[in-house]
C-alpha cells in the first residue's frame, strides 16, 4: 500500500475528477478519491483492472491502493474543500511526457501487440469507454522506442457505478466494440496470433485467483458481500464464455491476418 505524502491539485479533466499526489516511494500518482462523482465503485473497477492487468501482462500503468491521512488533509485546504476524507483511495502512476495516441502513432509503437490483450480485457469487462475516448490511450517515447499505455479503467461494466443486477445482465452479453482505435488495430495491425497468449492466460485463471482478486478490494469501497459475490460470479462467467466472445471478436480481423 502507498502513503500519500504531498498533494498537487486536480489533474486532467475526467469525469472522476482525479487528483495528483506524490507517494512515499517518491513517485507521482493520479489518484481517484472515494468521493469522486461516480462513487467508490470506480475505485473497485480500477483496482480490479490493475490486478487483472498484471495477470494478463497488459500495458496499464502501475496502480495500487493509496492511503490519504488526516494530516495530509489538514495541510491542504483545497483537498478538504473538495470533500476528500482520510482513508483508502486508488492511485495510478503518473506517466510524464505522453501524447494521446492517434492513428499515425501505431506504425512506430513497439508494443502494439499488447493492445490485443487490452482489447480482450475491455470486451471481458464491457469497457466501451476506451474504444471511443482517445484520451485513454497514451504514447510515450522511451529509449527502446514509442510505447503505448492504456489508462483509466473507471468505466468497466459500461457505466462504472454498476449494480448487482447490471452485472447479471452483462455477464452473458457479447458485444463487440469496434470504433476508432480498435477498428484501426483490428483491420490493419493485429493478428490471430497476437490474441493467442492472452486467450490462454484468461482461460487458465482459476476460481481461487478470481475470488482472491475480489477479496483484496478494501471493505470501505465495497462493503456489500452480495455485490462482491456478484463480481466474482461475473468474472467466472466471462472467463467461461471466452470462446464465444473470441469467435465474434475474431471476425473483425481480415482473413489475411488470421
Amino acid at each position: 500500500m502507498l502513503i500519500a505524502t504531498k498533494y498537487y491539485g486536480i489533474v486532467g479533466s475526467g469525469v472522476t475528477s482525479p487528483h495528483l499526489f506524490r507517494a512515499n516511494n517518491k513517485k507521482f500518482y493520479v489518484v481517484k478519491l472515494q468521493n469522486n462523482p461516480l462513487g467508490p465503485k470506480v475505485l473497485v473497477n480500477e483496482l480490479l483492472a490493475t490486478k487483472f492487468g498484471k495477470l494478463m501482462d497488459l500495458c496499464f500503468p502501475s496502480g495500487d491502493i493509496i492511503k490519504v491521512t488526516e494530516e495530509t488533509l489538514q495541510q491542504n485546504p483545497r483537498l478538504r474543500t473538495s470533500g476528500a476524507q482520510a482513508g483508502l483511495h486508488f492511485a495510478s502512476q503518473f506517466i510524464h511526457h505522453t501524447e494521446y495516441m492517434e492513428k499515425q502513432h501505431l506504425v512506430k509503437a513497439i508494443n502494439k501487440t499488447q493492445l490485443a490483450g487490452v482489447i480482450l480485457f475491455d470486451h471481458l469487462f464491457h469497457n466501451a469507454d476506451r474504444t471511443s475516448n482517445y484520451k485513454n490511450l497514451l504514447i510515450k517515447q522511451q529509449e527502446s522506442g514509442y510505447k503505448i499505455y492504456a489508462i483509466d479503467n473507471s468505466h468497466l461494466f459500461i457505466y462504472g457505478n454498476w449494480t448487482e443486477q447490471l452485472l447479471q445482465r452483462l455477464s452473458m452479453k457479447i458485444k463487440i466494440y469496434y470504433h476508432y482505435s480498435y477498428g484501426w488495430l483490428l483491420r490493419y495491425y493485429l493478428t490471430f496470433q497476437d490474441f493467442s497468449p492472452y486467450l490462454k492466460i484468461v482461460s487458465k485463471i482459476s476460481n481461487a485467483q478470481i475470488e482472491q482478486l475480489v477479496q483484496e478490494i478494501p471493505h470501505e469501497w465495497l462493503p456489500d458481500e452480495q455485490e462482491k459475490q456478484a463480481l466474482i460470479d461475473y468474472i467466472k462467467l466471462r472467463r467461461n464464455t471466452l470462446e464465444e466472445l473470441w469467435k465474434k471478436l475474431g471476425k473483425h480481423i481480415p482473413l489475411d491476418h488470421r
Side-chain angles (χ1 to χ4, degrees):
M1 181 189 298
L2 300 166
I3 307 293
T5 57
K6 189 169 183 180
Y7 176 63
Y8 290 87
I10 294 175
V11 61
S13 57
V15 69
T16 54
S17 302
H19 297 251
L20 186 65
F21 286 83
R22 189 168 63 200
N24 56 321
N25 62 358
K26 308 301 183 184
K27 296 179 181 179
F28 289 86
Y29 289 87
V30 177
V31 174
K32 293 181 180 179
L33 303 172
Q34 287 192 46
N35 72 314
N36 76 83
L38 292 184
K41 282 180 182 168
V42 163
L43 282 62
V44 172
N45 299 346
E46 290 283 7
L47 185 62
L48 179 63
T50 293
K51 293 182 176 296
F52 219 86
K54 286 182 180 178
L55 289 176
M56 293 180 67
D57 190 29
L58 302 182
C59 51
F60 293 164
S62 175
D64 201 351
I65 299 166
I66 188 168
K67 184 177 182 179
V68 176
T69 65
E70 188 64 40
E71 181 182 4
T72 300
L73 289 176
Q74 291 175 357
Q75 292 172 351
N76 296 279
R78 286 182 302 160
L79 185 57
R80 185 178 287 282
T81 301
S82 73
Q85 296 182 351
L88 305 181
H89 308 274
F90 178 80
S92 178
Q93 188 171 344
F94 180 70
I95 307 170
H96 297 267
H97 309 300
T98 61
E99 299 177 68
Y100 296 130
M101 194 194 76
E102 297 182 7
K103 189 175 182 178
Q104 64 269 23
H105 293 139
L106 287 171
V107 175
K108 57 187 178 182
I110 60 174
N111 69 323
K112 51 183 167 281
T113 57
Q114 278 191 298
L115 291 180
V118 175
I119 289 173
L120 183 62
F121 171 88
D122 285 345
H123 281 80
L124 286 168
F125 290 95
H126 286 285
N127 184 21
D129 188 50
R130 189 158 17 240
T131 186
S132 56
N133 186 349
Y134 72 98
K135 294 183 178 181
N136 288 353
L137 288 172
L138 305 178
I139 191 163
K140 174 182 173 67
Q141 186 175 9
Q142 301 179 169
E143 288 185 8
S144 55
Y146 286 86
K147 183 176 180 180
I148 299 169
Y149 290 91
I151 65 168
D152 196 348
N153 291 288
S154 60
H155 280 64
L156 303 193
F157 317 111
I158 300 179
Y159 301 111
N161 190 14
W162 47 269
T163 63
E164 184 179 345
Q165 293 72 28
L166 178 61
L167 291 186
Q168 290 172 352
R169 291 200 303 271
L170 291 177
S171 61
M172 299 301 292
K173 184 175 181 180
I174 306 296
K175 180 175 175 59
I176 304 304
Y177 303 104
Y178 190 65
H179 300 293
Y180 305 111
S181 56
Y182 284 6
W184 311 332
L185 286 159
L186 293 169
R187 282 196 301 270
Y188 304 117
Y189 294 99
L190 299 178
T191 68
F192 269 36
Q193 289 72 30
D194 295 327
F195 282 89
S196 181
Y198 300 105
L199 291 163
K200 289 179 181 177
I201 290 171
V202 174
S203 67
K204 292 180 179 178
I205 294 174
S206 68
N207 288 347
Q209 285 177 294
I210 292 170
E211 291 163 6
Q212 181 64 30
L213 286 178
V214 175
Q215 291 306 322
E216 290 175 358
I217 296 168
H219 179 76
E220 60 191 86
W221 299 358
L222 193 65
D224 190 317
E225 291 299 322
Q226 283 188 227
E227 289 188 330
K228 282 185 179 178
Q229 187 59 51
L231 192 54
I232 290 169
D233 293 341
Y234 173 93
I235 300 171
K236 290 178 180 178
L237 281 168
R238 295 303 279 178
R239 177 202 58 195
N240 294 343
T241 58
L242 184 63
E243 184 176 347
E244 182 182 355
L245 171 60
W246 172 237
K247 282 181 181 178
K248 292 191 177 182
L249 180 59
K251 289 179 180 178
H252 292 274
I253 299 176
L255 290 174
D256 58 351
H257 288 189
R258 299 185 185 183

